[in-house]
Amino acid sequence: MPDLEGVSPLILNRLSVYLRCLRHLQETGVERISSQQLADRFLLSASQIRKDLAQFGDFGIRGVGYEVAVLADHLNSLLGLDRSHPLLIVGMGNLGSALSRYLGFNHGAFKVVAAVDRDPEKVGRDMGDFVIRHVDDLPAVVRDSGAEIGVLAVPASAAQENYEALVRAGIRAVLNFAPARVKRIQGVPLKNVDLRINLEEVAFVLGPQGRGRGASLADPLDDDLPT
Amino acid sequence: MPDLEGVSPLILNRLSVYLRCLRHLQETGVERISSQQLADRFLLSASQIRKDLAQFGDFGIRGVGYEVAVLADHLNSLLGLDRSHPLLIVGMGNLGSALSRYLGFNHGAFKVVAAVDRDPEKVGRDMGDFVIRHVDDLPAVVRDSGAEIGVLAVPASAAQENYEALVRAGIRAVLNFAPARVKRIQGVPLKNVDLRINLEEVAFVLGPQGRGRGASLADPLDDDLPT
DNA sequence: AGATGTGAATGAGTTCACAGCT
DNA sequence: AGCTGTGAACTCATTCACATCT
């Protein structure tokens, strides 16, 4: 049953992970796989895989396993990756440039179609598929490019105002990489990603002044998974 | 009781969040605050704040609240941010450069002290506090710089080999930003951070072809918190 | 046999509600 | 009175174990 409402972020992220594993298997020429094999191969839990998947329909074949290609395609469309998601990068400094490379992937589901910056030096630069435009032109840029998701890669102090500008320009969702919490405006999904928190986590396991050796606590690192 | 073993990553991340809120309050001149006020101010849960904090000692004063400065300092040292954590960036492309800016923060707890790259073009470039060196010199770079945490910002295909090189060079922990899962070697804490998963999450809330409007599901975005 | 899908059991994490300190 | 610290209640998530299908 495609019970799409109320899917927890935990399950969602695992689906992404499963999909990546499956793509990997596909490239390796594997056609069928059981939940147990998947779990062994990628350090996951077999029963969890089954439960996660069963939520969205009966993709498997009892006694056999899952058809890699079929399952991958199901997940792909479930995650909304079967249609293209045009991205707009706001702020083309190092982070913005890095993200524009990093995020274009996944069988073409995500594609950077536009970028804006405040710096006149950068405006006009040709990025191959598009030209960097001025942040003041956001409304026109969003309209012309058809961008759907805005990616904030601006300094912390400029994050909130740029989010709001994106909303006014008609963007449908925003991902914020600036190290500042942005407050969501009703109706425009927003995800704040703070890269620094990961560093703090790692710093913690190293302990006060080198508590013991490495992995002390409940092995908390590693939330996400394979490629 | 500083029951440091077995702290869940969830709590850990919340502690980081609390600390940021407190720093913010400090700058605003607030000296005391109750869990309730904190919760209201930053969209948190009061009882959760109290429970999280109580785990590590009695920082609060009944009937009064928490002394902002005191609590901030406690958290700071609890998270290991009172001593300096020298960072080494591996891969000085756009992402590496961006991270080297982005991650230097937090009252000087994190400082980039060295960087390496494979590209002879980049080797030798002066970054102010240090000079980019060749990745083959990792052992010497780690020794000379005293780097503690390695930050991988290399292409996916090079992630595993560079992690292993870091381990051989004597690094104490690693944060991997390459879009590839790296397998941990016993004794060297590793955290894989996959930026793409955030995009997929946002794409999902937008739904198949624009299911409803914005925030459909259980509002899953927004894990982390304020600055 | 061999693997899925799923209720039942366990465990983790969060909220409630209040006793006890200031 | 006001607010913390904490056991008890509750909700959410994961794992177990097995009936069911191929």
Side-chain angles (χ1 to χ4, degrees), chain A residues 19 22-23 26 67-78:
Chain A
L19 178 55
L22 291 165
R23 293 295 189 207
Q26 251 183 321
E67 203 86 26
V68 174
V70 172
L71 182 54
D73 288 354
H74 270 287
L75 288 181
N76 201 59
S77 85
L78 195 71

Side-chain angles (χ1 to χ4, degrees), chain B residues 69-112:
Chain B
V70 173
L71 182 54
D73 288 353
H74 270 287
L75 288 181
N76 201 59
S77 85
L78 194 71
L79 291 170
L81 303 177
D82 55 345
R83 64 192 193 90
S84 97
H85 295 277
L87 307 180
L88 158 61
I89 312 268
V90 180
M92 281 299 275
N94 278 315
L95 185 57
S97 306
L99 289 173
S100 73
R101 239 161 266 194
Y102 197 108
L103 299 177
F105 74 108
N106 225 319
H107 301 247
F110 297 97
K111 183 160 193 254
V112 180

Side-chain angles (χ1 to χ4, degrees), chain A residues 16 83 102 177 191 200 208, chain B residues 16 83 102 177 200 208 223:
Chain A
S16 293
R83 64 193 193 88
Y102 195 108
F177 284 98
K191 180 161 176 70
E200 296 183 3
Chain B
S16 292
R83 64 192 193 90
Y102 197 108
F177 284 98
E200 296 184 1
D223 307 316

Side-chain angles (χ1 to χ4, degrees), chain A residues 188-202:
Chain A
V188 181
L190 162 70
K191 180 161 176 70
N192 286 297
V193 179
D194 193 329
L195 302 180
R196 303 172 303 175
I197 219 155
N198 301 295
L199 246 197
E200 296 183 3
E201 219 176 293
V202 170

Side-chain angles (χ1 to χ4, degrees), chain B residues 137-182:
Chain B
D137 298 338
L138 263 182
V141 172
V142 170
R143 182 165 17 84
D144 299 349
S145 66
E148 179 183 88
I149 300 173
V151 177
L152 284 173
V154 298
S157 56
Q160 183 70 40
E161 75 185 270
N162 278 292
Y163 169 63
E164 290 171 9
L166 277 169
V167 172
R168 280 195 303 274
I171 207 78
R172 296 208 40 222
V174 175
L175 197 52
N176 171 40
F177 284 98
R181 183 181 188 69
V182 168

Side-chain angles (χ1 to χ4, degrees), chain A residues 113-136:
Chain A
V113 297
V116 299
D117 202 292
R118 200 175 55 172
D119 179 3
E121 189 89 1
K122 293 196 185 94
V123 173
R125 185 182 304 168
D126 187 356
M127 300 300 287
D129 294 337
F130 56 88
V131 169
I132 298 179
R133 296 183 58 186
H134 195 277
V135 69
D136 289 346

Side-chain angles (χ1 to χ4, degrees), chain B residues 110-137:
Chain B
F110 297 97
K111 183 160 193 254
V112 180
V113 297
V116 298
D117 202 290
R118 200 177 54 174
D119 179 2
E121 189 90 0
K122 295 198 183 91
V123 173
R125 185 183 303 168
D126 187 357
M127 300 300 288
D129 293 336
F130 56 89
V131 170
I132 298 179
R133 296 183 58 186
H134 196 277
V135 68
D136 289 346
D137 298 338

